[in-house]
C-alpha cells in the first residue's frame, strides 16, 4: 500500500513540475512587455527597468522560472501587474467562492447520480430505467450555463426564491453563503450527474454479467442483495475515475457559471486579468487549477486502493 | 423417492428450443454425470435446476427436489433453497469469486444469508469447511483475497461456499475444465469424497468422458438438448446402445497412425535457452526480481519428426514456443533452424521465419474478422521474396483449401461463416501455404469438441503422409500427444525434465513429475472402444 | 437499426443541413439591423423572433450552426489525427519508454481542462475561433490516444496478430492492416461523442468571450447577449439553448445508436 502511494506521489510530483514548465513557457512567449503595458508608451527607460525589477521580470528565463516556483511553494504568487497587490491575496479571496462551489456541485452530482444509476441498472430495460436514461440523455446535452440562465429565470426572477446573482459572503453565516451558491451548484451538478449516472449504470451492468454475481446468486442471495453486496463496490472502480475527471470539469465549469451569477470567484478574476493583460494572475490561477486537478486525481488513485485489494499488494 | 427428479423438462430461450423433454434422477449420495459436446444443453440443465436461467428462458415440465416441484416456486423461495439445499460450483474459478471481498467473508455469507447460525458460529463453520476442502486457516487465513490464491485454491473456496450449509444436492458445472490435470485430480477427489461423506447427490456436468467414467455412478449423454442415453456407469460403458454415445467415446480415445519418421537429421536445434521475465520491484529502490520462464532448455527436432511438448500451465511451454518462433528474444542460448539462428543481431531472421509457421489454440481469435479467407491464408506470403500472384496464387489457395478438407470457393468467405473445426482447418491451410519446414501446433486442438478434434487429428495424420510434416505439438492433453507424436518432452517449471519416444515415456515414465502427470490424467476405459 | 440511431441521425442531419444551407440561403441577412422590429417574439415573419438589434434569430441560428460545427469538427479532426497514431504507437510499443512518455503526456494534458487551455491561449494570443479549435482539439488528443491504445492493446494479445507477426509483418504494418480497421468502429463512435462535447465546449467558450468574435454569429455569444434580457425576452435565451441541446442530443443518440449497430457482439446477441 505504501509503495503504491509513494509511486503515485512521485508521478504527482513529476506532473506538477512538467505542468509548471509548460504554463511558464506559454506565458513567456506572450508578446509585449507588462512593464511598458502598465506605464504606457511614453515611460522612461529607467522607470521601466525599476518596475521590471519590482515585478521580478529581470534576470534569465530559468532564473525567473525558479523564482516563480519557489515563490509559489511558500505561498508567494507574485504581484499583480494591474492592482499592485499580492496575487496570493487575490486568489485566496476568490478561492472561498470557487472551491466551495465546485465541492457543493460534486456532492450534489454524486448524491443524484449514485441512486439514479443503481436504480436504472437494477431495473434494466424496464420503464424506470428508460425514464432515467432518457433524462440523463437530455441532461448531457444541456449546456450548464444555459441551464443556469433558465434557473435564474424561473427561481430568481419569477419565483424569487433565490437572488439572481452575487455572493452574500461567508461572514453572514454558512447557510446564507450556501444559499447563494445553490443555484450555481445545481446548474453545474445536473449535467455532470447525468454523465455520472450513466457511468454508474453501465459499470453496474458490466459487473452484473460477471461470474461472481452468478456465484452470489447460487449462494441464495436475491438479485437485489447480490447487486448491493457484490455489485456496487466493484462498480465503483470506473465510477471513481469519472468522479476524478469531473472535478476538473466542475472547476472549469465553475469559471463559466460564475459569469452567469456574477460570483466573485477565480473565473471572474481570470477574465478580468485577461482583459487587463495581467499575465502573472492568469499564470498563477491556471497553475492553481492544474494543481487542483492533479491532486484530485492522486486522491482518486489512493481511493482505488481502498476499493480494490488487488492494488494494495501483499504488504 | 429420488433426491432430484427431472421430468420432461423442456426449455426455450427467446423461442429457441434448448432442452427437449429431459428426464433425470439423482439419489442421495449418488454421483450423476451429464455429458455431451457444446450445444448439448448440459449446462442449461444445471442452471434450470438452480432456476438461474438467462432472461427470456421459459421452462416446462417438473424439477422435483425431495418431491417438491421447483419450477412454480416464487423467487424468494428459490433464494431460500439456493445455497442451503442446493449448492453449485462453476467452471471458471478465476472469476467466480468477488475480487474485493475476503474468502472468509464470501464463505460466511452463504451461512449468514440463510440466517442459519449466529455470526460467531458461522465463523467457526467457515473455518471448518475451508479446512475440509484443503485450505486450513493457519495456512490460508480467512482474510485472504481471491487474487492471492491459485486457480485450484479458488475452486476450493467456491466448493467451500457451496457446501457450507451441507446442501442435499451439489451441482458442479465443468468444475475442473479450467484447471491443470494434477489440480483436476485433487478437485475431483474432493468432490467425490464430499458426496460420499455428506450423502449429497452430485450432479456433475462435464465434457470429459474420462472424468465421467472415472467418477460417476450414473451417466447421462446429451446431444442438442436431448438425452440420448442413460445408465449405470459400468452397464453403459459395457453396452452402449446409441450410436452417438459410441461415437463420443471413440472420438475421445481417437487414435491415428502416423507414417514412420525418416532417418534422424537435425532440423531445429535448441541449446541452453534461457528466458527471464522482469518482475515488478518489491521495494521502491530494490532491484527488480526475475522469473525464469525457460531454464536451460536444450533439445533437437529432426526433419520429418513429430515432437510433443507437454506440461501444465505456467511451465514455460508458451514462452518457449514464442522464442522458437522468433517473437521474443531469449536472454541466452541458441535456437537454430537448418543451422541458421532464429535471431540475428537483435532482429528476427527472415530467412528462418519463412521456414516456420504456427497454428494457435483459439479458432475464433486466430483470424482478422474483416478479411476474407483468401487474404487470411495467404498472409505468410509476406515472408517470400517473390510471393505468387495471379493464377498461381489462386491455385495455391485452392490447393491448400482442398488439402485441409474445404472447398476452393470457400476462399471468398469471411471467417464468421465457418465453425470452430473449419476455422482450425483454415489455420492449418495458412500454416501450410508457404510449405514451411516446421510447424508449431500450440494447443491447436484443445478448444475443440471431441468429435471435431478427432477429425482434425485425422487431417494431421493425412497431411503427415502427403506433405512430410515436421512439427512441434504443444499441449496439456496427454492422450492427444500420445497418439499424434513420435517423441515427447515433459516440461516443468521452465525445465525439460524428461524426453524420449512417446510410447516409451507414457508406458514407463522415469521422472517423478512425468509419473504424477500420467497418474493424474483420468483414463478412458477400454470397454467403450471395444464395443464398436 | 435502433430508434436511437434513426432519431440521432435525423436530428444531426437537420442541424448539418441548416448549417450547409446558410451558405446559400437564410431568411434574412443575419447581420442586417432592423431596430424598429427589435425583440420580437417568434412570429410568422421571424420564425425565431428578433434580437435587441432586430436581427433575425432564425438566420443567426443557421449561421451559428456553421460556426459550432466547424469548430467542433476540426477539433475532433485534430484529436483523431494526432491521438490515434499516438495510441497505436503506444500499444505497439507497450511497456517501453515511448509508451510511458505518451501515456504520461496524456495524463498531463488531461490535467488542463479545455477551458483552461483556452484561457492560456487567449491570454497570450487573444480570443478567436481558431484558438477555440486549438483548445478543444488539444484536449481531444489524449481522449483518442487513450481509447485507441486500450482497444489496440487487447487486439495485440489476439492470436491473429501473433499469426501476422509469424508472417514477418512489422509493428507499423500490423497497426495499419490489422489494428486500425478493428478499432475504426470504436473511433467513429467516440468521434461522434467528442463532436457533441466539442459543440458544448465551443458554446461555453464563446459564452465567456473566448470563442468566435463578432460579427461571426455563434450560439454561445447569442446566449451571452441574451443574459441581461432574459426576463423580458426569454426567447433570446431559449432558442440558442434549444439549438445546442438538439445538436448535442442528436449527436449523442447517433453515437449510442452507432455503437449498438456496429458492435458485432450486440448484433449477434440480438439475432
Amino acid at each position: 500500500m505504501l509503495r503504491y502511494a509513494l509511486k503515485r506521489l512521485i508521478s504527482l510530483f513529476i506532473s506538477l513540475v512538467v505542468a509548471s514548465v509548460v504554463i511558464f513557457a506559454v506565458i513567456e512567449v506572450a508578446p509585449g512587455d507588462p512593464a511598458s503595458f502598465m506605464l504606457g508608451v511614453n515611460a522612461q527607460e529607467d522607470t521601466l527597468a525599476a518596475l521590471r525589477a519590482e515585478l521580478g521580470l529581470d534576470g534569465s528565463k530559468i532564473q525567473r522560472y525558479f523564482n516563480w516556483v519557489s515563490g509559489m511553494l511558500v505561498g508567494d504568487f507574485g504581484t499583480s501587474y494591474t492592482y499592485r497587490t499580492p496575487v496570493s491575496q487575490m486568489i485566496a479571496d476568490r478561492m472561498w467562492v470557487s472551491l466551495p462551489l465546485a465541492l457543493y456541485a460534486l456532492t450534489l452530482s454524486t448524491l443524484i447520480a449514485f441512486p439514479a444509476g443503481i436504480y436504472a441498472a437494477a431495473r434494466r430495460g424496464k420503464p424506470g430505467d428508460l425514464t432515467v436514461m432518457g433524462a440523463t440523455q437530455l441532461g448531457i446535452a444541456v449546456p450548464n450555463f444555459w441551464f443556469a440562465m433558465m434557473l435564474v429565470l424561473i427561481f430568481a426572477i419569477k419565483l424569487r426564491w433565490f437572488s439572481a446573482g452575487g455572493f452574500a459572503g461567508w461572514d453572514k453565516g454558512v447557510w446564507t453563503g450556501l444559499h447563494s451558491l445553490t443555484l450555481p451548484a445545481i446548474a453545474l451538478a445536473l449535467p455532470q450527474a447525468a454523465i455520472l449516472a450513466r457511468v454508474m449504470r453501465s459499470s453496474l451492468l458490466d459487473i452484473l454479467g460477471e461470474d461472481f454475481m452468478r456465484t452470489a446468486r447460487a449462494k441464495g442471495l436475491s438479485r437485489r442483495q447480490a447487486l448491493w453486496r457484490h455489485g456496487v463496490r466493484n462498480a465503483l472502480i470506473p465510477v471513481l475515475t469519472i468522479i476524478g475527471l469531473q472535478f476538473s470539469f466542475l472547476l472549469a465549469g465553475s469559471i463559466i457559471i460564475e459569469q452567469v451569477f456574477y460570483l466573485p470567484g477565480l473565473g471572474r478574476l481570470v477574465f478580468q486579468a485577461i482583459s487587463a493583460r495581467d499575465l502573472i494572475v492568469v499564470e498563477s490561477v491556471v497553475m492553481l487549477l492544474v494543481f487542483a486537478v492533479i491532486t484530485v486525481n492522486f486522491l482518486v488513485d489512493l481511493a482505488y486502493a481502498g476499493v480494490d485489494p488487488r492494488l494494495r499488494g501483499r504488504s | 423417492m429420488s433426491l432430484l427428479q427431472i421430468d420432461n423438462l423442456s426449455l426455450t430461450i427467446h423461442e429457441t428450443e434448448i432442452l427437449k423433454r429431459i428426464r433425470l434422477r439423482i439419489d442421495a449420495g449418488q454421483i450423476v454425470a451429464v455429458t455431451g459436446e457444446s450445444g448439448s444443453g448440459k449446462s442449461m440443465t444445471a442452471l434450470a435446476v438452480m432456476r438461474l436461467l438467462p432472461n427470456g428462458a421459459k421452462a416446462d415440465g417438473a424439477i422435483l427436489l425431495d418431491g417438491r416441484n421447483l419450477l412454480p416456486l416464487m423467487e424468494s423461495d428459490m433464494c431460500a433453497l439456493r445455497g442451503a439445499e442446493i449448492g453449485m460450483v462453476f467452471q471458471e474459478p478465476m472469476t467466480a469469486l468477488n475480487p474485493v471481498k475476503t474468502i472468509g467473508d464470501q464463505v460466511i455469507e452463504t451461512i449468514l444469508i440463510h440466517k442459519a447460525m449466529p455470526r460467531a458460529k458461522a465463523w467457526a463453520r467457515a473455518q471448518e469447511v475451508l479446512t475440509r476442502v484443503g485450505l486450513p486457516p493457519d495456512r490460508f487465513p480467512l482474510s485472504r483475497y481471491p487474487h492471492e490464491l491459485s486457480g485450484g485454491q479458488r475452486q476450493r473456496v467456491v466448493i467451500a461456499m457451496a457446501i457450507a450449509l451441507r446442501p442435499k444436492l451439489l451441482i458442479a458445472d465443468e468444475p475442473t475444465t479450467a484447471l491443470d490435470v494434477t489440480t483436476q485430480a485433487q478437485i475431483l477427489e474432493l468432490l467425490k469424497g464430499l458426496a460420499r461423506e455428506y450423502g449429497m447427490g452430485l450432479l456433475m456436468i462435464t465434457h470429459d468422458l474420462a472424468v465421467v467414467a472415472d467418477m460417476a455412478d450414473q451417466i447421462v449423454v446429451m446431444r442438442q438438448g436431448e438425452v440420448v442415453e442413460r445408465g449405470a456407469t459400468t452397464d453403459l460403458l459395457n453396452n452402449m446402445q446409441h450410436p452417438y454415445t459410441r461415437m463420443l467415446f471413440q472420438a475421445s480415445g481417437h487414435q491415428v497412425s502416423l507414417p514412420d519418421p525418416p532417418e534422424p537429421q537435425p532440423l531445429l536445434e535448441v541449446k541452453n535457452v534461457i528466458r527471464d521475465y522482469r518482475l515488478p520491484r518489491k521495494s521502491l529502490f530494490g532491484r527488480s526480481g526475475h522469473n525464469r520462464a525457460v531454464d536451460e532448455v536444450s533439445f533437437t527436432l529432426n526433419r520429418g519428426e513429430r515432437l510433443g511438448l507437454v506440461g501444465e500451465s505456467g511451465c514455460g511451454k508458451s514462452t518457449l514456443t514464442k522464442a522458437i518462433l522468433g517473437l521474443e528474444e531469449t536472454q541466452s542460448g541458441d535456437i537454430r533452424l537448418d543451422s541458421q539462428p532464429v535471431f540475428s543481431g537483435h532482429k528476427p531472421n527472415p530467412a528462418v521465419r519463412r521456414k516456420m509457421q504456427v497454428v494457435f489454440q483459439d479458432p475464433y481469435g486466430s483470424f482478422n474478422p474483416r478479411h476474407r479467407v483468401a487474404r487470411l491464408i495467404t498472409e505468410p506470403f509476406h515472408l517470400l521474396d517473390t510471393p505468387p500472384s495471379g493464377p498461381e496464387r489462386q491455385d495455391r489457395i485452392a490447393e491448400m483449401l482442398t488439402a485441409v478438407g474445404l472447398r476452393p470457393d470457400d476462399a471468398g468467405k469471411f471467417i464468421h461463416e465457418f465453425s470452430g473445426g473449419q476455422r482450425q482447418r483454415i489455420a492449418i491451410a495458412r500454416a501450410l501455404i508457404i510449405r514451411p519446414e516446421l510447424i508449431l501446433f500450440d494447443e491447436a486442438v484443445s478448444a475443440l469438441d471431441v468429435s471435431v478434434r478427432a477429425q482434425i487429428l485425422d487431417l494431421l495424420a493425412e497431411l503427415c503422409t502427403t506433405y512430410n510434416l515436421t512439427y512441434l505439438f504443444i499441449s496439456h492433453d496427454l492422450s492427444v500427444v500420445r497418439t499424434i507424436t513420435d517423441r515427447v518432452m515433459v516440461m516443468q517449471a521452465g525445465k525439460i525434465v524428461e524426453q524420449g519416444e512417446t510410447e516409451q515415456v507414457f508406458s514407463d515414465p522415469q521422472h517423478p513429475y512425468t509419473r504424477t502427470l500420467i497418474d493424474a490424467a483420468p483414463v478412458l476405459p477400454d470397454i467403450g472402444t471395444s464395443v464398436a | 437499426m435502433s430508434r436511437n440511431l434513426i432519431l440521432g441521425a435525423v436530428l444531426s442531419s437537420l442541424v448539418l443541413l441548416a448549417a450547409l444551407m446558410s451558405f446559400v440561403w437564410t431568411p434574412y441577412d443575419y447581420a442586417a439591423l432592423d431596430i424598429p422590429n427589435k425583440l420580437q417574439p417568434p412570429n410568422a415573419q421571424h420564425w425565431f423572433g428578433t434580437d435587441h438589434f432586430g436581427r433575425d434569430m432564425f438566420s443567426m441560428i443557421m449561421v451559428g450552426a456553421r460556426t459550432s460545427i466547424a469548430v467542433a469538427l476540426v477539433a475532433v479532426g485534430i484529436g483523431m489525427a494526432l491521438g490515434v497514431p499516438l495510441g497505436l504507437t503506444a500499444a505497439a510499443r507497450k511497456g517501453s519508454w515511448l509508451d510511458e512518455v505518451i501515456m504520461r503526456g496524456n495524463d498531463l494534458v488531461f490535467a488542463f481542462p479545455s477551458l483552461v487551455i483556452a484561457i492560456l491561449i487567449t491570454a497570450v494570443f487573444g480570443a478567436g475561433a481558431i484558438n477555440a479549435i486549438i483548445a478543444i482539439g488539444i484536449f481531444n488528443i489524449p481522449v483518442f490516444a487513450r481509447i485507441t491504445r486500450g482497444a489496440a492493446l487487447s487486439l495485440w494479445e489476439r492470436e491473429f496478430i501473433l499469426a501476422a507477426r509469424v508472417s514477418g509483418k512489422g509493428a507499423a504494418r500490423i497497426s495499419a492492416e490489422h489494428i486500425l480497421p478493428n478499432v475504426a468502429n470504436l473511433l467513429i463512435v467516440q468521434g461522434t461523442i467528442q463532436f457533441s462535447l466539442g459543440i458544448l465546449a465551443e458554446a461555453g467558450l464563446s459564452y465567456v468571450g473566448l470563442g468566435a468574435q463578432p460579427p461571426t454569429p455563434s450560439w454561445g455569444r447569442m446566449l451571452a447577449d441574451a443574459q441581461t434580457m432574459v426576463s423580458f425576452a426569454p426567447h433570446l435565451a431559449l432558442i440558442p439553448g434549444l439549438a445546442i441541446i438538439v445538436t448535442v442530443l442528436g449527436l449523442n443518440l447517433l453515437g449510442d445508436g452507432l455503437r449498438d449497430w456496429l458492435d458485432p457482439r450486440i448484433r449477434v446477441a440480438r439475432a
Side-chain angles (χ1 to χ4, degrees), chain B residues 325 327 353 356-358 360-362 364-371 375 379-380 382-383 430, chain C residues 158-170 173 177-179 181-185 262:
Chain B
L325 284 169
L327 294 176
R353 275 225 159 141
M356 269 192 290
Q357 278 297 306
V358 61
F360 293 109
Q361 168 175 4
D362 180 6
Y364 294 89
S366 293
F367 302 98
N368 187 338
R370 292 172 183 278
H371 294 170
R375 183 163 177 195
E379 188 161 42
H382 183 73
L383 290 163
R430 173 171 64 187
Chain C
R158 298 273 294 275
E159 288 177 340
F160 72 88
I161 301 296
L162 281 180
R165 291 176 64 197
V166 170
S167 296
K169 292 184 175 167
R173 182 162 183 148
E177 192 175 311
H178 289 297
I179 307 277
N182 280 294
V183 298
N185 284 351
L262 293 174

Side-chain angles (χ1 to χ4, degrees), chain C residues 222-234:
Chain C
M222 289 168 80
L223 284 170
D225 292 343
Q227 196 173 336
T228 49
M229 295 171 276
V230 72
S231 54
F232 53 90

Side-chain angles (χ1 to χ4, degrees), chain A residues 98-168:
Chain A
S98 294
L99 195 64
L101 176 57
L103 289 177
Y104 192 178
L106 193 65
T107 313
L108 276 182
S109 147
T110 312
L111 285 180
I112 298 166
F114 273 39
I118 295 172
Y119 173 87
R123 282 172 185 66
R124 180 188 198 171
K126 297 195 178 127
D129 177 26
L130 297 179
T131 313
V132 172
M133 282 301 99
T136 58
Q137 192 68 266
L138 202 63
I140 291 175
V142 173
N144 53 21
F145 58 92
W146 178 80
F147 186 51
M149 287 165 72
M150 294 299 116
L151 289 178
V152 169
L153 180 63
I154 297 167
F155 293 103
I157 296 174
K158 301 274 189 239
L159 297 174
R160 299 187 177 279
W161 291 355
F162 295 90
S163 64
F167 182 61

